[in-house]
Amino acid sequence: MSKIAPTLSLQIKREKPSARRKCLPVDDPRKTQDLSDIQPLPPKVFYSHYSWRFLRHPDNTIQTTPPLMSTQLRWGHSLTIRQQYALAAAEQEIARVIDNERVPLDNLPPGLGGGLRELPDIAPSNDIQESLKNLSLERIQRPPTPPKVAIVGAGVSGLFLGMMLDYLNDHIPEFNVGYEIFEANDASRVGGRMFTYNFKPHPPHNPQGPHDYYDVGAMRFPHNPIMQRVFELFDWLDMPMGPLEKDSKNGSLVPYSMTNLTGKDQNEPFRYNDLTKWGSYVNIAAAARGNDAFEFNEDRKDPLIPSAVLAMSPSKVVDDAVEDPAPGSAGRCRNMEGQRGWELLNEPPNTTTPDPTRPPFNTSTINFLESHEWVGIPVIPPVPTTTLTPLPLAKVATTSLTKMHSGTDWYDQAFSETVLESLDFDYDKSTKWWCIMGGSQQLPMLMEKRLKTKPIYSSRVSALRNVLKFNPPNPLTFGVEVSLQGDETSKRRVYDGVFNTTTLGCLRRIDTTECYLPNSTKTALRVLAYGESCKVGIKFSSGWWRQTMPGGHRVEKGGLGHSDLHIRTVVYPSYNVLDDPSQPSVLLVSYTWQQDAERIGALISRSSPAGEDELKALLLRELARLHTTTREDEDKLFATISASYLDHYAHNWSDDATTAGAFAFFRAQQFSTLWPKVVQPAGNLVMIGEASSPHHAWVVGAIESAVAGLYSWLYSRMDLPGAKEAVWLIDGTTPVPRDSHKHPPFLGLPSYLPKNHARWMGLISALRTERAAKRE
């Protein structure tokens, strides 16, 4: 090898798998460490092997080939198939970036002193200051102060990140990273999409009720392994879990009733094709001729819905399809542990099955499945699915079966995602669901109380741009300037990093021109889809649904009302079932998604309830229709409901300027091709929030993204005091401090992002930012 120039370089070339060797940098004190835990990668899974020619300045040349760049996909209980997909997508993006970087990877921040097996120990380059001096970025002189980051948005991920920084500051002596949280809304909307609307009393006409609220955003939490970090957060905030009692305190967790059970049977209203039936769908269908209780097959010239399909709840149809969509093929992956399940998911399907309850379906069956809201797979509302690289299974009439138990147009995507969703959340029927007394916004309110630095409200971020910070004789460092709407030009806010927690639509309205985002990232921000959702809650002078209605029915224990009406789904609260039904009560009268939300959203005002007379009239009439079986009873109940009306509030998340959508709702190909661009930090700009997690629309996705984002950024900023110790504490290299009987929800990387992948993301982001700045 020839002598090298005085620049740290890291050159990469492909190597056959059989040629890999297990070794560490020669100066690693643990170079004799046993590496027998590195197992061969399973077949049929994307993986990459790299070898490194590590050239160290100034005179010595060291060649080392570490083990795999990739950690193998972890089969079994510790990593769900969705998480495996996320891991594979992230790994593929890392490999793609490395393959594109044929120029030596210069000027990367230092590594962890040989603490990595898969990454080399990278030392700072001698000429990094020369590189920074040549950049065309504006230089802003700043006094020597501890590092500080800006957090855009006081949603649950932003608040969690602030709590996490407080925790690290308290437990690592060298670590002292400050933060400021900027929130566009006022303090009443802390929590972002964890929003609870509280009705204001106006006595004597509108008196105070015992529970005058409803959740406009997140409202229920399944206690399963995926959600473990959320329940650790509940515990950390001293939010007790227990049975519902009349004196249950706000902020406590009480059981959430998924159905209204009367004895052993479900007793809920179903209204389709202008017919209302009470009970459980299966029993309603079983009592009808040909199982066609709602006369879906009345037009004999249309393709008929098979009687066997009508006899099953649509959730059972999709559940069975997940179990075995093609005999001998992919659906069995639900019952297969680990790698075999993954292989089955990739096998070609059998599209000739004669079973009428299996896809492909005719158009009438598709419309039937699409029109229903059901409780079956315990994801209510169903988590919007994300689609990855198409699997062979996706060829099985993909848009037919996947249009059920949700809004119109919900499942226009690959069937493989329905399989993955079920594998993710359908652990067993014993999964318990919980809600928060006082509304889900109690969670971010409690989080805000724990913060040592409170959010700055009514502060909309208008621009972000990269700058260089200097304070002679200290070296130049990268920084990010944050501008707020209405700022004076002389006001300069410069931070060491920025964590954006807003939705991608809102981030696009922030001027990031001088952040030098890669085109692929800008494309992801523009293209990645969000779902529509609307909710309407009405406060009544009494809980009329809990009293005997015309026709003799009532709802006692929560659950859902199901229909093809504009209101689609009614959610009966679980938290007020012990209240006196003669007192004022709140009912979630309409919960819609996708096209249904678009249509009812056309009647929703941004200043709700003002200007919503048409919406109010529609809601009251359809409530009466849903709950009665005859026109005479409908008119009686309509009169009762109308007389009981006190107030209402409606919210359209797509018309909310601070969200521009309800939740991430990725379309075909978007997970595998675009999601990694969002997860990858863009230098000192890190995007976190539920869209940056595989678990879209869930609180756990938001908080796990904060852990992953901060970890990758810290690994790219080893120049910050205590960053190395913080990284080691987060990823478990350093044991968890035993200063509390509670497990800190801030520690431990998400299962879908092993530490080596997270570290690579940090290193690559620093490189790409510097390259982009040089091009400018």
Side-chain angles (χ1 to χ4, degrees):
M1 289 186 182
S2 60
K3 293 242 181 178
I4 62 172
T7 301
L8 175 70
S9 299
L10 183 64
Q11 297 179 333
I12 298 170
K13 66 179 182 179
R14 284 197 177 277
E15 176 182 71
K16 294 181 180 179
S18 60
R20 72 179 187 271
R21 297 194 302 276
K22 300 176 182 177
C23 62
L24 296 166
V26 294
D27 57 348
D28 189 338
R30 294 170 296 172
K31 64 182 180 180
T32 60
Q33 177 181 354
D34 179 18
L35 301 180
S36 60
D37 60 322
I38 301 177
Q39 303 296 324
L41 285 166
K44 285 194 175 183
V45 179
F46 169 84
Y47 60 91
S48 298
H49 299 278
Y50 296 90
S51 67
W52 282 259
R53 295 173 68 195
F54 185 47
L55 311 181
R56 179 173 294 171
H57 174 76
D59 297 322
N60 61 325
T61 298
I62 302 174
Q63 178 171 333
T64 180
T65 307
L68 302 179
M69 184 281 293
S70 154
T71 50
Q72 72 174 66
L73 298 186
R74 290 160 170 77
W75 310 110
H77 296 289
S78 62
L79 204 62
T80 69
I81 290 201
R82 172 178 288 281
Q83 292 170 333
Q84 293 168 23
Y85 245 160
L87 191 157
E91 180 175 292
Q92 186 169 344
E93 172 67 4
I94 293 169
R96 187 192 66 79
V97 172
I98 294 174
D99 281 346
N100 287 343
E101 297 292 349
R102 292 302 182 185
V103 178
L105 303 179
D106 298 336
N107 303 328
L108 289 171
L112 293 184
L116 296 175
R117 290 204 299 261
E118 288 87 357
L119 286 178
D121 179 15
I122 302 172
S125 167
N126 287 345
D127 67 350
I128 188 170
Q129 283 300 300
E130 292 301 319
S131 298
L132 293 179
K133 290 177 183 178
N134 294 329
L135 298 183
S136 59
L137 299 176
E138 180 182 0
R139 301 183 185 186
I140 299 179
Q141 186 167 3
R142 309 300 294 178
T145 57
K148 180 184 287 189
V149 299
I151 301 171
V152 183
V156 67
S157 58
L159 298 172
F160 187 84
L161 180 59
M163 292 178 64
M164 186 173 178
L165 288 169
D166 285 341
Y167 179 86
L168 295 174
N169 288 334
D170 289 343
H171 288 81
I172 301 175
E174 303 88 350
F175 192 81
N176 184 22
V177 176
Y179 61 89
E180 288 184 327
I181 303 175
F182 298 104
E183 170 56 46
N185 283 306
D186 61 31
S188 68
R189 285 292 304 275
V190 64
R193 284 167 285 173
M194 292 198 76
F195 171 35
T196 301
Y197 185 80
N198 290 274
F199 289 94
K200 296 179 181 179
H202 298 284
H205 167 68
N206 184 353
Q208 177 74 49
H211 297 101
D212 281 356
Y213 67 86
Y214 81 98
D215 283 316
V216 183
M219 62 183 182
R220 44 202 168 187
F221 306 87
H223 196 182
N224 62 35
I226 292 291
M227 305 296 167
Q228 185 59 34
R229 196 184 298 262
V230 176
F231 283 84
E232 289 176 356
L233 178 59
F234 291 152
D235 186 47
W236 191 260
L237 295 171
D238 299 317
M239 300 173 67
M241 298 172 61
L244 177 65
E245 299 175 350
K246 286 191 175 182
D247 60 350
S248 292
K249 303 297 183 183
N250 283 351
S252 62
L253 286 102
V254 298
Y256 182 91
S257 299
M258 301 299 293
T259 59
N260 178 50
L261 293 177
T262 301
K264 295 183 179 181
D265 194 19
Q266 173 186 0
N267 187 37
E268 296 175 350
F270 294 78
R271 185 178 180 90
Y272 296 96
N273 195 22
D274 295 330
L275 298 172
T276 295
K277 310 280 185 179
W278 280 79
S280 66
Y281 174 79
V282 172
N283 289 340
I284 292 171
R289 181 180 178 182
N291 300 315
D292 191 7
F294 297 99
E295 301 179 9
F296 293 119
N297 283 333
E298 62 182 352
D299 190 340
R300 310 302 292 183
K301 293 183 180 180
D302 284 342
L304 298 181
I305 304 171
S307 176
V309 171
L310 290 171
M312 306 164 62
S313 70
S315 62
K316 174 65 173 172
V317 178
V318 74
D319 210 16
D320 284 356
V322 169
E323 292 289 350
D324 195 9
S329 186
R332 296 199 315 274
C333 65
R334 165 181 295 218
N335 297 318
M336 299 292 292
E337 290 295 337
Q339 180 187 342
R340 182 54 184 156
W342 179 271
E343 292 173 350
L344 286 171
L345 191 59
N346 284 274
E347 287 183 8
N350 179 355
T351 60
T352 61
T353 173
D355 189 341
T357 66
R358 300 292 199 271
F361 296 120
N362 61 43
T363 55
S364 296
T365 305
I366 294 172
N367 293 333
F368 161 71
L369 295 173
E370 188 175 23
S371 69
H372 289 68
E373 319 285 344
W374 304 100
V375 178
I377 297 176
V379 185
I380 309 294
V383 173
T385 55
T386 55
T387 304
L388 307 98
T389 305
L391 302 176
L393 184 58
K395 299 176 183 177
V396 187
T398 59
T399 60
S400 60
L401 184 59
T402 56
K403 293 176 179 287
M404 77 185 317
H405 52 198
S406 192
T408 305
D409 262 358
W410 183 274
Y411 283 118
D412 283 345
Q413 54 212 322
F415 176 62
S416 57
E417 267 304 303
T418 303
V419 177
L420 298 179
E421 201 66 62
S422 177
L423 289 164
D424 228 9
F425 292 98
D426 194 8
Y427 282 86
D428 56 60
K429 303 304 180 183
S430 65
T431 296
K432 294 183 179 180
W433 290 70
W434 300 82
C435 62
I436 302 175
M437 288 299 294
S440 291
Q441 197 173 0
Q442 292 289 320
L443 174 61
M445 291 168 62
L446 291 170
M447 295 171 73
E448 181 200 40
K449 288 181 179 179
R450 294 290 184 96
L451 289 177
K452 296 185 177 180
T453 304
K454 304 303 180 184
I456 304 171
Y457 293 102
S458 302
S459 301
R460 185 184 300 274
V461 174
S462 58
L464 304 171
R465 69 188 190 106
N466 286 340
V467 296
L468 289 176
K469 296 168 54 179
F470 77 99
N471 180 46
N474 296 324
L476 291 169
T477 57
F478 277 116
V480 183
E481 183 177 18
V482 176
S483 299
L484 303 183
Q485 192 174 46
D487 260 355
E488 299 178 0
T489 55
S490 59
K491 183 71 173 179
R492 311 301 295 269
R493 296 182 178 84
V494 180
Y495 302 88
D496 294 274
V498 172
F499 292 81
N500 180 78
T501 76
T502 71
T503 62
L504 303 184
C506 290
L507 176 56
R508 288 200 72 217
R509 297 205 305 269
I510 298 174
D511 184 358
T512 58
T513 306
E514 294 183 65
C515 286
Y516 312 118
L517 301 179
N519 178 66
S520 58
T521 300
K522 289 182 281 190
T523 298
L525 298 182
R526 176 178 60 84
V527 173
L528 287 175
Y530 274 71
E532 305 264 353
S533 182
C534 295
K535 282 187 178 180
V536 188
I538 296 182
K539 179 181 177 181
F540 295 98
S541 60
S542 67
W544 53 264
W545 61 93
R546 296 181 53 219
Q547 305 174 54
T548 302
M549 293 176 278
H553 298 284
R554 63 176 178 172
V555 177
E556 301 178 64
K557 299 180 181 179
L560 304 175
H562 320 256
S563 77
D564 58 5
L565 302 170
H566 295 88
I567 60 176
R568 292 307 303 265
T569 301
V570 174
V571 181
Y572 306 104
S574 300
Y575 51 79
N576 66 5
V577 296
L578 299 182
D579 296 345
D580 183 346
S582 66
Q583 293 182 298
S585 301
V586 175
L587 178 64
L588 177 48
V589 301
S590 177
Y591 188 5
T592 56
W593 307 280
Q594 295 308 99
Q595 182 168 287
D596 300 313
E598 291 178 3
R599 293 185 175 180
I600 202 169
L603 303 179
I604 294 177
S605 165
R606 286 192 177 184
S607 56
S608 181
E612 293 179 341
D613 291 343
E614 184 178 355
L615 174 66
K616 173 185 172 183
L618 177 69
L619 296 171
L620 297 179
R621 174 56 67 178
E622 292 198 341
L623 277 175
R625 286 180 177 163
L626 170 63
H627 292 90
T628 55
T629 59
T630 68
R631 184 55 186 261
E632 180 182 0
D633 286 346
E634 176 189 324
D635 289 341
K636 290 180 181 178
L637 185 58
F638 177 72
T640 299
I641 292 174
S642 298
S644 183
Y645 170 90
L646 295 178
D647 196 4
H648 81 267
Y649 176 77
H651 198 88
N652 180 358
W653 284 107
S654 293
D655 197 39
D656 186 325
T658 60
T659 60
F663 32 65
F665 181 74
F666 291 178
R667 304 299 203 276
Q669 299 291 313
Q670 291 190 344
F671 193 100
S672 59
T673 60
L674 295 177
W675 176 76
K677 313 304 193 284
V678 175
V679 179
Q680 173 72 57
N684 287 314
L685 172 59
V686 185
M687 287 163 275
I688 63 176
E690 51 93 21
S692 298
S693 162
H695 306 299
H696 301 150
W698 292 98
V699 173
V700 71
I703 64 177
E704 285 193 341
S705 73
V707 176
L710 179 60
Y711 181 90
S712 293
W713 180 75
L714 286 174
Y715 190 72
S716 75
R717 292 300 307 268
M718 288 294 159
D719 58 304
L720 301 179
K724 177 180 69 174
E725 290 76 13
V727 164
W728 280 352
L729 183 58
I730 295 170
D731 69 22
T733 302
T734 300
V736 177
R738 295 300 180 186
D739 56 352
S740 172
H741 67 282
K742 302 176 181 179
H743 185 276
F746 322 107
L747 304 184
L749 285 169
S751 299
Y752 61 84
L753 195 64
K755 65 181 180 181
N756 195 54
H757 293 63
R759 291 175 175 185
W760 263 107
M761 287 182 174
L763 293 173
I764 291 173
S765 71
L767 166 75
R768 295 177 72 177
T769 298
E770 185 176 330
R771 290 268 174 84
K774 287 180 178 179
R775 285 196 296 270
E776 296 296 320

